[in-house]
C-alpha cells in the first residue's frame, strides 16, 4: 500500500503523510546513534515512499543535519527537507530559545551548509521566543523566503494567538505540535481547527510518543543516563506501568479489530485527526518495518470511542509533552 500524500503550500511535490523524524539520528538525548545505520535508515525511508525528512540544528547540535546532508547526496531531488530555527546552545549543551534576526540569519546558513543544499523545503521556527516580537521574527524569515533560502514556512509549538501575530507579517504553511494517542493537546486546544480553517498542514511530532506506542517496551525497559525518556514523567513509575497497560490493551484492540500493530493504530489515529503528517522517529532501517500498514484504512467513530475508553480505564492522570519545552533566555541580546 502506497503511503498517502498531502499538499503543503509552497511545495509543488506531493509530501508523504509519514515523515521521518531525525532527532534520534542526532545522537544526543536518545542514547547515541550510528551514522552508517542512520544513513541506511534515510535511504530506506526514501525507498518506502517517505519523502519528508524532519530535522533541526539542535538535534545533536548540528549532527542530525550533517547526517541528513550526507545521506541525501545524489538523492536531494527525492526528499522534502524540513528543518528548524530559533534555538541556541552553549558549550555545555544548554539550550535556550533565540529568535533574534542575527541568530536566524546565522542558523539558516549553517543549516544549508550542513544539509549540503542551496534551499530548504520547509523552514520552521522551533519554539516561540518571548524576548523577540513575533512579527519581527516573521519579517526576517519572509525576507529569507523571498531570497529563495526556503520554499515554505512553518512554526512549531506555537499557540493560535501566536500564529495570528506571525501571520500578520508572513504566511504560514504548517504548524508542528506534539500529537499522539497519549498527548492530545493539539485536539483539545484549537490547533487542529485552526489548521483546517487556515489551510495549514500539521506535522505531528512524537506520533508514537517516544517509542511508547511502538509496542516494544516492557516494565523492564531501562533508559540510559542522558536519554530523554529518563526524565520524561511518562516513563517513571507508577505512570510507566499505566501507559504500558494502555499499550497492551490498544495492541489487543488493533489486532482484533484490524489485524494491525499498535504502532499502525497510533499512526492511523494521527492521520485521521486532520490535515496531518505523522513524524515517525527511526535510526535503524528495521524500525521502518510496518509503515505500509498505516495507509489505506481509517478509524470509525466507534473505534475512536473505544480507544478513548481504553485510555480512560488505564491512565489516571494523562500528561502532555510540556517537559520538553526549552527555557527562555534571561535577558534579550
Amino acid at each position: 500500500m502506497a503511503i498517502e500524500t498531502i499538499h503543503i503550500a509552497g511545495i509543488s511535490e506531493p509530501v508523504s503523510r509519514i515523515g521521518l523524524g531525525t532527532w534520534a539520528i542526532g545522537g544526543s538525548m536518545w542514547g547515541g546513534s550510528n551514522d552508517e545505520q542512520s544513513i541506511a535508515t534515510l535511504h530506506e525511508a526514501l525507498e518506502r515512499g517517505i519523502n519528508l525528512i524532519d530535522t533541526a540544528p539542535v538535534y545533536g547540535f548540528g549532527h542530525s543535519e550533517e547526517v541528513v546532508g550526507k545521506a541525501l547526496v545524489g538523492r536531494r531531488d527525492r526528499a522534502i527537507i524540513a528543518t528548524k530555527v530559533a534555538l541556541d546552545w552553549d558549550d555545555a549543551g544548554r539550550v535556550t530559545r533565540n529568535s533574534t534576526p542575527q541568530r536566524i540569519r546565522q542558523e539558516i546558513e549553517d543549516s544549508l551548509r550542513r544539509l549540503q543544499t542551496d534551499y530548504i523545503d520547509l523552514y520552521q521556527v522551533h519554539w516561540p521566543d518571548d524576548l523577540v516580537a513575533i512579527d519581527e521574527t516573521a519579517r526576517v524569515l519572509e525576507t529569507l523566503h523571498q531570497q529563495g533560502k526556503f520554499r515554505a514556512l512553518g512554526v512549531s509549538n506555537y499557540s493560535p494567538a501566536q500564529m495570528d501575530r506571525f501571520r500578520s507579517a508572513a504566511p504560514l504553511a504548517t504548524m508542528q505540535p506534539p500529537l499522539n494517542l497519549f498527548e492530545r493537546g493539539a485536539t483539545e486546544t484549537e490547533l487542529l481547527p485552526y489548521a483546517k480553517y487556515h489551510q495549514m498542514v500539521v506535522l505531528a511530532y512524537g506520533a508514537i510518543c517516544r517509542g511508547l506506542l511502538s509496542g516494544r517496551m516492557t516494565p523492564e525497559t531501562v533508559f540510559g543516563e542522558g536519554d530523554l525518556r529518563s526524565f520524561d514523567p511518562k516513563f517513571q513509575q507508577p505512570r510507566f506501568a499505566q501507559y504500558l497497560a494502555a499499550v497492551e490493551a490498544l495492541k489487543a484492540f488493533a489486532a482484533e479489530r484490524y489485524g494491525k500493530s499498535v504502532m499502525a493504530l497510533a499512526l492511523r489515529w494521527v492521520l485521521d485527526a486532520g490535515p496531518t503528517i505523522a513524524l515517525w522517529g527511526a535510526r535503524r532501517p528495521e524500525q521502518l518495518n510496518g509503515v505500509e500498514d498505516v495507509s489505506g484504512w481509517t478509524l470509525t467513530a466507534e473505534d475512536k470511542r473505544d480507544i478513548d475508553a481504553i485510555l480512560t480505564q488505564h491512565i489516571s492522570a494523562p500528561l502532555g509533552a510540556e517537559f520538553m519545552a526549552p527555557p527562555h533566555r534571561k535577558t534579550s541580546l
Side-chain angles (χ1 to χ4, degrees), residues 85-89 96-108 123 125-141 144 158 166 328-333:
V85 67
L87 289 182
D88 203 349
W89 57 86
T96 53
R97 311 182 194 201
N98 187 346
S99 290
T100 57
Q102 56 267 39
R103 178 62 182 169
I104 291 171
R105 295 188 189 103
Q106 174 190 332
E107 278 204 87
I108 196 163
Y123 206 42
V125 183
H126 209 151
W127 286 85
D129 180 357
D130 284 354
L131 297 179
V132 179
I134 288 175
D135 58 341
E136 180 181 6
T137 298
R139 283 194 297 270
V140 172
L141 286 164
L144 293 172
Y158 270 54
F166 195 105
H328 292 274
R329 301 185 315 282
K330 292 182 180 178
T331 57
S332 59
L333 298 177

Side-chain angles (χ1 to χ4, degrees), residues 175-219:
M175 66 172 76
Q176 185 171 151
L179 178 62
N180 58 65
L181 275 171
F182 293 148
E183 296 168 338
R184 302 183 175 208
T187 63
E188 294 163 355
T189 60
E190 291 298 313
L191 286 175
L192 286 174
Y194 187 96
K196 292 175 185 176
Y197 183 79
H198 293 289
Q199 299 182 311
M200 297 169 67
V201 173
V202 178
L203 278 65
Y205 74 78
I208 57 171
C209 199
R210 298 170 292 288
L212 253 180
L213 287 159
S214 69
R216 301 188 185 107
M217 293 183 181
T218 71

